[in-house]
Amino acid sequence: MQAAEFFRTYDDTSAAPWSGYANYVARENELYQAVAELYGDVQRPLKPVSIYKEELTRRIRSPQVRRYLETGVSTGESLRICADLELAIGIDPAPNVPPDLFDKPPFRLEKKPSDTFFRETFEAGTPDFALDLAFIDGLHVFEYALRDFIGVEALAAPGCEVLIHDVLPRRAAEAARHRFTRPWTGDVWRVPMVLRHFRPDLKVRLVESAPTGLAIITGLDPANSLLMERYDEVVAYGMGLKVLEFMAARDAHVAAV
Ligand SMILES: C[S@@+](CC[C@H](N)C(=O)[O-])C[C@H]1O[C@@H](n2cnc3c(N)ncnc32)[C@H](O)[C@@H]1O
């Protein structure tokens, strides 16, 4: 399956549980307590080996990295590190950045959902760029982050590295698919789990970077269309994984390579 066809099918964000701040419950701590009592959801702090921004900055500054893409720009804290690159694409339907900050090269600020960006890019034919580094930090919902990975892999240059944010929730309550807590990872943790299962050719590392972990993925193959071809099966497998089981085995998942 071609990437254009895939993203034509899935460019639909109408039902997206947006990551807006409107859905916080005022009584978040009571909610945590209730979930803990009902499901034994205990707080499992990370043992941080780094801070995610350090991991990202080090890579952006590496001489091998010339072309970068980020889904989820927000205030542009990460994107602004990219001023010396050749190309820095930032995608966000609702970025919160000063008007002129990213209006000239190397920046390309795409004010749209990432699915729409990928559909438009692949529909336009063979892209005239390939990515050395990508940071997936858009909508914190499994299928959306998975499709971000699929789109990025199809655009990968040899040696491309992909970082996925928020893959190590500290308790199950913050991994809910709809945001109702202040710190919110959503269920992005499912993405590295399905990659390890369906794509053993990829190297998928989980790193305890503060605050909520990173997946670092290498060995990308832009010609590999397995995740597109078997998308429904991949999503069904990922949705079948249980967050409490993932939390209980989190250290083992981090240790696995
Ligand atoms: C956690 S913030 C990104 C932080 C940023 N990467 C940084 O390091 O400073 C998440 C952002 O994802 C954006 N977002 C939500 N849905 C999206 C989508 N479908 N595609 C791309 N970005 C999305 C939100 O508007 C929000 O600004």
Side-chain angles (χ1 to χ4, degrees), residues 13 16-21 52-53 56 68 70-79 91-96 110 112-116 135-140 144 147-148 165-166 179 184:
T13 53
W18 289 87
S19 57
Y21 297 95
Y52 89 93
K53 199 59 76 58
L56 184 63
Y68 170 84
E70 175 173 311
T71 63
V73 172
S74 189
T75 55
E77 261 188 63
S78 300
L79 197 60
I91 309 161
D92 195 316
N96 182 16
E110 300 275 351
K112 55 191 71 159
S114 50
D115 285 326
T116 305
F135 182 41
I136 294 176
D137 195 19
L139 190 57
H140 293 181
Y144 291 80
R147 290 198 297 273
D148 283 354
H165 199 205
D166 297 306
R179 183 173 197 165
W184 181 57

Side-chain angles (χ1 to χ4, degrees), residues 108-155:
R108 233 178 95 185
L109 181 61
E110 300 275 351
K111 293 186 191 174
K112 55 191 71 159
S114 50
D115 285 326
T116 305
F117 168 83
F118 289 121
R119 177 182 56 72
E120 290 174 354
T121 300
F122 295 120
E123 278 181 345
T126 307
D128 58 359
F129 62 88
L131 302 171
D132 304 310
L133 178 67
F135 182 41
I136 294 176
D137 195 19
L139 190 57
H140 293 181
V141 177
F142 165 50
E143 302 92 308
Y144 291 80
L146 173 65
R147 290 198 297 273
D148 283 354
F149 178 81
I150 291 171
V152 161
E153 184 175 36
L155 294 171

Side-chain angles (χ1 to χ4, degrees), residues 41-202:
D41 178 25
V42 294
Q43 170 89 331
R44 289 184 172 84
L46 298 190
K47 299 177 279 304
V49 294
S50 60
I51 298 170
Y52 89 93
K53 199 59 76 58
E54 292 168 357
E55 297 275 356
L56 184 63
T57 305
R58 184 158 52 79
R59 286 170 171 80
I60 290 172
R61 300 217 166 120
S62 125
Q64 284 85 40
V65 169
R66 303 303 308 147
R67 289 167 301 258
Y68 170 84
L69 180 148
E70 175 173 311
T71 63
V73 172
S74 189
T75 55
E77 261 188 63
S78 300
L79 197 60
R80 69 184 77 202
I81 307 167
C82 300
D84 294 332
L85 298 185
E86 194 180 300
L87 177 66
I89 301 172
I91 309 161
D92 195 316
N96 182 16
V97 296
D100 303 334
L101 186 57
F102 298 125
D103 67 350
K104 37 184 156 338
F107 297 111
R108 233 178 95 185
L109 181 61
E110 300 275 351
K111 293 186 191 174
K112 55 191 71 159
S114 50
D115 285 326
T116 305
F117 168 83
F118 289 121
R119 177 182 56 72
E120 290 174 354
T121 300
F122 295 120
E123 278 181 345
T126 307
D128 58 359
F129 62 88
L131 302 171
D132 304 310
L133 178 67
F135 182 41
I136 294 176
D137 195 19
L139 190 57
H140 293 181
V141 177
F142 165 50
E143 302 92 308
Y144 291 80
L146 173 65
R147 290 198 297 273
D148 283 354
F149 178 81
I150 291 171
V152 161
E153 184 175 36
L155 294 171
C160 177
E161 241 182 328
V162 177
L163 270 54
I164 307 181
H165 199 205
D166 297 306
V167 293
L168 297 175
R170 294 153 300 184
R171 53 174 137 196
E174 75 181 15
R177 283 167 69 77
H178 286 71
R179 183 173 197 165
F180 56 82
T181 58
R182 199 165 308 262
W184 181 57
T185 63
D187 62 345
V188 180
W189 63 271
R190 298 181 204 273
V191 178
M193 295 297 101
V194 300
L195 295 181
R196 280 183 173 167
H197 185 80
F198 286 93
R199 290 286 307 276
D201 56 307
L202 295 170

